[in-house]
Amino acid sequence: MASRQKLNAKTIRGMKPEDRAKLLNDLRNELLRLQTQRERGTLENPGRVRAVKRAIARVLTIMNEEIRKASK
């Protein structure tokens, strides 16, 4: 899953748009799973929630940059 690879901006920018969309979908699914675990009280690594949220924000930022760059 996405947690195995390093998700820095350079890596995300090097991806194809389809791969970025799939990554974003995977991260959102993981966040939903983590939030469910947190509600049940079975979450093992609470810091992972924050990391996934940041990764989602990073992907969305880069996607928006690409859209703005294309519209110029």
Side-chain angles (χ1 to χ4, degrees), residues 30-43:
E30 183 177 358
L31 180 60
L32 183 62
R33 183 180 54 79
L34 291 171
Q35 289 172 335
T36 304
Q37 286 178 356
R38 182 173 53 193
E39 290 296 318
R40 290 182 183 160
T42 61
L43 184 61

Side-chain angles (χ1 to χ4, degrees), residues 11-66:
T11 304
I12 297 169
R13 282 192 177 94
M15 293 179 172
K16 296 178 185 176
E18 309 87 46
D19 294 337
R20 268 189 236 133
K22 183 179 180 331
L23 175 63
L24 182 60
N25 190 32
D26 291 345
L27 287 169
R28 285 180 170 163
N29 287 335
E30 183 177 358
L31 180 60
L32 183 62
R33 183 180 54 79
L34 291 171
Q35 289 172 335
T36 304
Q37 286 178 356
R38 182 173 53 193
E39 290 296 318
R40 290 182 183 160
T42 61
L43 184 61
E44 293 180 11
N45 185 2
R48 183 70 187 142
V49 174
R50 183 176 182 189
V52 171
K53 283 183 177 182
R54 285 182 175 208
I56 290 170
R58 192 172 288 125
V59 171
L60 287 172
T61 299
I62 292 169
M63 289 173 81
N64 286 327
E65 286 175 356
E66 295 292 323

